[in-house]
Amino acid sequence: MPVIVFLVESPLSQRDYERFGIAFLSERFDVRVIDLTPIIKPHFWAEYSAIAHHFDGYVAASDVSEVAGILPQGERFFVVDMLSDCFEATSVRRLCRERGAILIVVQGGLLPVPRLRSELWHAIRRFEVAKIVVGGMRQALRVVKDRTRRRAATEPHADIVFLGGLAGRRRIAANSPSRLIPAQSFDYDIYLALEGSSPSLEWPLDYAVFLDEDMVYHSDYLYVGIGPPATAEEYYPAMCRFFALYEEITNRKIIIAAHPRTNHDRQREFFASFDYVVGDTARLVQHASDVLLHQSTSCGFAVLWHKPMLFLTMPALKRSPVYLWVNLRCDVLGAARVNVEDSGWILRRTIESRRIDATRYETYKVDFLKYPGSPELPLWEIIADAVDH
């Protein structure tokens, strides 16, 4: 049986196990997952190792040399590379190449990327003197270290790239030696699975869904090494006030679509006045009248089901990169944007002006969600068919 090895650098959650199609692939392949989080992000592993979903093929490696004992020897095998660009990841890629692996990259989560000029201008505007002296120097050292690592290591190229959209093809050099195969995003897989499904009988008949991002306590802040964009005192009262006004203006209920990696008891308490649903984000979007969000990657579901979006900002977010990403997604999709702390009449005017830009939605779909002409099949079926021949 052919072997497929996943290389990951964040503890493999139950959600990842399902998104990566491991149960399906296990019918045709010997599937293994090598979790390099203890090596690449040891501080994150120390905090979140408990979320790892263990199955027979899962191993958390504590040293690069340990990986050598896990990889197959003397047989053809495939490696799905989900690692970032760092020294440790490069060492593992080289080891895989030495063992004769066929390296695969899956563009399952493509997103719009801000221009460097926009990022630099935003950074200049948001840094205060104290931040420049303390935080700015720390950030500068991190960037220098990262770029030094990138120059010091020559990355093995992928043998096969499964394209998630036209943007993915544009990001690959024209002279790339990789074999490029049209495919789609993880979100499109969920969309295919849910087409034709019904809403829950427990949900209101007419509602708006808010795509919660755990803006204050998200685990990614520890993973990346940054602070949250807002405090709980700044964020939650402003959001709840806006939700109450939205319900009054539209006569439509708010449902909070829980972030998959948050403390749900804590979030329920903060959003106590509103319905809170765990583990059903895509279906909530599918049957919603409106989609409210900051910068959630789940905006792709709103695109696929042609739902109007309302992007939410607040003064507290202006000092963080979140504000840049909110504006970028909003502009790319031609959607309405609102400051949740605006007065009632401004909120009413903005809410009533929301609309769908069908042309931009279609462009977003083919750029980031589904490569034009790719099969209407689950992503991992496309991958299995392409490599198992």
Side-chain angles (χ1 to χ4, degrees):
M1 181 178 286
V3 177
I4 287 187
V5 179
F6 284 79
L7 301 177
V8 301
E9 59 178 55
S10 181
L12 184 84
S13 65
Q14 175 68 40
R15 176 170 172 260
D16 293 332
Y17 180 88
E18 294 168 0
R19 284 197 310 156
F20 298 165
I22 291 175
F24 166 77
L25 291 173
S26 295
E27 298 175 3
R28 297 169 63 174
F29 300 88
D30 174 2
V31 181
R32 306 173 192 178
V33 173
I34 302 178
D35 188 343
L36 299 176
T37 315
I39 303 171
I40 298 176
K41 298 284 185 180
H43 61 289
F44 192 80
W45 177 255
E47 186 72 21
Y48 290 101
S49 59
I51 72 170
H53 176 72
H54 294 267
F55 69 103
D56 287 344
Y58 173 84
V59 178
S62 57
D63 188 85
V64 172
S65 61
E66 187 179 341
V67 177
I70 303 170
L71 294 174
Q73 296 191 58
E75 59 182 300
R76 181 170 175 259
F77 70 102
F78 304 90
V79 169
V80 180
D81 181 2
M82 295 188 167
L83 304 178
S84 61
D85 185 7
C86 65
F87 178 80
E88 295 85 357
T90 298
S91 298
V92 172
R93 290 184 184 112
R94 286 176 173 170
L95 178 59
C96 292
R97 178 67 77 205
E98 291 168 4
R99 290 288 180 87
I102 298 172
L103 296 181
I104 295 172
V105 168
V106 179
Q107 295 179 335
L110 293 174
L111 293 168
V113 178
R115 298 184 182 213
L116 179 59
R117 182 174 61 184
S118 299
E119 290 186 282
L120 291 174
W121 177 238
H122 182 77
I124 291 170
R125 293 181 63 185
R126 78 175 189 268
F127 275 140
E128 299 170 353
V129 174
K131 291 181 180 178
I132 292 174
V133 174
V134 182
M137 287 298 293
R138 188 183 299 116
Q139 177 67 16
L141 288 171
R142 186 183 299 123
V143 170
V144 169
K145 182 180 179 182
D146 182 59
R147 290 185 177 178
T148 301
R149 279 181 167 183
R150 290 178 186 230
R151 283 196 294 268
T154 303
E155 290 281 350
H157 68 81
D159 296 292
I160 306 173
V161 177
F162 289 90
L163 299 167
L166 293 175
R169 188 183 188 99
R170 290 194 292 268
R171 292 174 192 177
I172 297 175
N175 60 352
S176 169
S178 304
R179 176 187 172 198
L180 306 181
I181 298 179
Q184 64 211 30
S185 66
F186 296 133
D187 286 350
Y188 198 82
D189 263 15
I190 298 171
Y191 165 77
L192 282 178
L194 286 178
E195 264 301 272
S197 71
S198 302
S200 169
L201 296 176
E202 298 178 0
W203 301 343
L205 292 177
D206 188 18
Y207 67 88
V209 60
F210 171 63
L211 305 179
D212 182 38
E213 299 171 48
D214 198 4
M215 194 62 72
V216 178
Y217 299 104
H218 201 300
S219 60
D220 279 359
Y221 302 142
L222 174 63
Y223 188 83
V224 179
I226 61 174
T231 66
E233 293 75 19
E234 292 171 322
Y235 183 76
Y236 292 105
M239 293 298 294
C240 289
R241 170 187 171 273
F242 168 76
F243 290 153
L245 278 170
Y246 176 91
E247 289 187 340
E248 179 183 325
I249 290 168
T250 64
N251 197 31
R252 181 176 292 138
K253 297 295 291 182
I254 291 281
I255 297 180
I256 310 296
H259 189 277
R261 288 186 291 150
T262 191
N263 181 321
H264 297 303
D265 291 336
R266 180 182 58 212
Q267 291 295 86
R268 278 195 182 94
E269 187 174 344
F270 281 125
F271 292 126
S273 299
F274 308 97
D275 291 341
Y276 185 90
V277 176
V278 179
D280 218 352
T281 296
R283 196 161 62 114
L284 281 167
V285 172
Q286 180 184 12
H287 299 289
S289 297
D290 272 349
V291 177
L292 315 179
L293 69 160
H294 298 299
Q295 55 164 0
S296 174
T297 58
S298 292
C299 66
F301 295 129
V303 170
L304 292 170
W305 278 301
H306 297 275
K307 302 294 180 177
M309 282 180 265
L310 188 61
F311 284 81
L312 311 181
T313 67
M314 64 174 62
L317 298 183
K318 285 189 175 182
R319 61 176 179 255
S320 83
V322 168
Y323 192 74
L324 178 66
W325 287 97
V326 171
N327 289 336
L328 173 65
R329 303 253 168 93
C330 181
D331 292 342
V332 167
L333 291 162
R337 173 176 42 225
V338 66
N339 175 357
V340 299
E341 297 187 20
D342 276 343
S343 61
W345 72 269
I346 294 178
L347 293 178
R348 178 182 293 275
R349 184 181 64 188
T350 306
I351 290 170
E352 291 176 348
S353 71
R354 67 200 183 284
R355 62 186 178 86
I356 294 173
D357 188 322
T359 300
R360 294 197 188 195
Y361 272 39
E362 181 61 23
T363 299
Y364 190 95
K365 175 183 173 181
V366 300
D367 274 349
F368 304 107
L369 300 174
K370 185 180 189 297
Y371 198 93
S374 63
E376 289 287 322
L377 295 172
L379 174 60
W380 295 106
E381 189 170 334
I382 296 172
I383 292 171
D385 289 344
V387 302
D388 187 18
H389 62 272

